Amino acid sequence: MHIYLHTEEYKPHHYLYLLATIIVFLFLAHNAYAGTTKNIGTNIPVDDQYGLALEPAPTITYRFLPSKTGEQQVEQFIEQSPVLETIKQLSQRRFIFSPSLLIVFGSEDGPLFDPVTNSIHIPYQFVIEARQRFKNKGLISNQRELNQATEDTLLHTLLHEIGHAYITDRAIPILGKEEDSVDNFATILLLNDIARGDEIAMNSADLFALEDLEIDSFDDADFVSEHSLDLQRYYNILCLVYGSNPNRYQRIFDELPVSERQLQKERCPEYFSVINQGWQHYLAE
């Protein structure tokens, strides 16, 4: 009888002890997972306190070197340009670099990609000359359009140099001229990922056409260059633009003779499909 009463008195305390143990275990388990830095099954970082998904870190950084006399305005133009934000967003989801890629504005040489330092160099003078070419040829009717054409050229040029960096980073095999491949890289990204990317591509192509107009004659150096001729680069971009949407760009080749115009219209849709499929195979999703 004494033993029975002792057991009955113990049972409530026993259950309380078990309940307390369970509560402590659940509390510790919650704290153990509250500070995780990734969502389960993903690589998306989350806020430690609230578990909210954070924006992926950009994998491209910028540096502005001191501008010389006459370059201050273009330095400010680049800093305020939406081009930098566009590149930042693309570097978070399309071309992801680790370690990060550095873009230096205000270098003496360029535009170029330096694989030794993993950096891209864009002289302020390049932007000044691009703006001046658009202005001198009378293609631009007002300041807003001039700024837009200059921004478009800068974006395409940056994507072109990023293409070189991406090929190096991923050890992508290139069969042919690498310069042509990264022209395609830049144009494919514009057409697939950027609002009004077709217009940006065509403005960039126009700059190649303007540069071609400045050439009076060719010498051997032009034909052994790593770059295709400016006019070839111009028509290559137009071909990709047309091939991406033939119904929209029926008149893009009107400057060509009828036979050449028809040839481009037959060739370019398939050409775009091949180039697009090739680059989409490598670009990060």
Side-chain angles (χ1 to χ4, degrees):
M1 189 70 171
H2 174 73
I3 296 174
Y4 176 77
L5 289 174
H6 177 77
T7 304
E8 287 296 305
E9 290 173 357
Y10 173 76
K11 289 176 72 175
H13 296 286
H14 176 68
Y15 288 131
L16 287 174
Y17 175 78
L18 288 176
L19 179 61
T21 301
I22 291 171
I23 292 173
V24 170
F25 175 81
L26 292 175
F27 176 79
L28 292 175
H30 171 75
N31 283 344
Y33 286 97
T36 186
T37 58
K38 293 182 179 179
N39 288 327
I40 297 174
T42 75
N43 289 321
I44 302 175
V46 297
D47 180 88
D48 285 353
Q49 184 175 0
Y50 299 106
L52 301 176
L54 299 176
E55 184 180 14
T59 61
I60 288 180
T61 58
Y62 303 109
R63 179 186 301 164
F64 287 82
L65 299 181
S67 53
K68 299 177 182 178
T69 303
E71 295 179 340
Q72 291 87 350
Q73 187 175 3
V74 74
E75 179 185 359
Q76 186 178 24
F77 173 82
I78 296 171
E79 288 178 333
Q80 297 175 351
S81 166
V83 168
L84 302 188
E85 178 62 26
T86 298
I87 295 294
K88 170 190 171 183
Q89 292 177 11
L90 288 173
S91 77
Q92 293 169 319
R93 58 188 177 85
R94 291 297 266 165
F95 38 74
I96 298 172
F97 291 97
S98 181
S100 62
L101 176 68
L102 173 65
I103 298 178
V104 181
F105 293 102
S107 303
E108 291 295 327
D109 297 325
L112 59 83
F113 165 65
D114 182 356
V116 175
T117 59
N118 196 40
S119 58
I120 289 170
H121 297 265
I122 306 292
Y124 295 132
Q125 193 61 32
F126 165 76
V127 180
I128 292 172
E129 290 175 0
R131 176 191 290 270
Q132 200 61 41
R133 281 192 173 96
F134 282 117
K135 187 176 181 179
N136 289 347
K137 299 302 179 180
L139 297 179
I140 305 298
S141 59
N142 56 59
Q143 188 66 34
R144 183 187 64 80
E145 291 182 0
L146 180 60
N147 288 340
Q148 188 65 71
T150 306
E151 285 179 0
D152 292 349
T153 298
L154 176 60
L155 177 55
H156 186 275
T157 301
L158 285 171
L159 290 175
H160 173 103
E161 299 304 335
I162 288 169
H164 285 299
Y166 195 76
I167 286 172
T168 300
D169 183 72
R170 301 301 174 93
I172 298 173
I174 297 297
L175 306 178
K177 287 186 175 182
E178 185 172 323
E179 294 295 340
D180 291 344
S181 295
V182 295
D183 270 354
N184 293 341
F185 172 92
T187 306
I188 289 298
L189 279 168
L190 289 173
L191 295 173
N192 287 324
D193 290 80
I194 307 299
R196 54 174 297 277
D198 49 353
E199 296 177 28
I200 297 172
M202 288 188 287
N203 273 340
S204 303
D206 284 342
L207 183 64
F208 290 128
L210 294 177
E211 291 174 343
D212 177 75
L213 292 175
E214 297 175 0
I215 300 174
D216 295 325
S217 61
F218 295 104
D219 56 31
D220 290 346
D222 295 305
F223 296 104
V224 299
S225 170
E226 60 186 350
H227 293 91
S228 294
L229 299 177
D230 290 327
L231 204 55
Q232 290 177 308
R233 299 176 75 179
Y234 167 75
Y235 280 115
N236 183 67
I237 292 175
L238 293 190
C239 186
L240 289 173
V241 172
Y242 175 83
S244 71
N245 194 339
N247 291 330
R248 183 174 183 179
Y249 299 107
Q250 285 294 319
R251 308 200 65 177
I252 200 171
F253 297 118
D254 279 3
E255 63 194 50
L256 294 174
V258 175
S259 60
E260 292 297 322
R261 187 187 315 161
Q262 187 59 35
L263 181 63
Q264 290 293 85
K265 289 185 176 182
E266 292 173 358
R267 181 180 75 89
C268 291
E270 182 178 358
Y271 177 67
F272 168 80
S273 179
V274 170
I275 298 300
N276 184 55
Q277 183 178 2
W279 274 116
Q280 295 302 340
H281 174 77
Y282 287 104
L283 285 165
E285 295 295 341

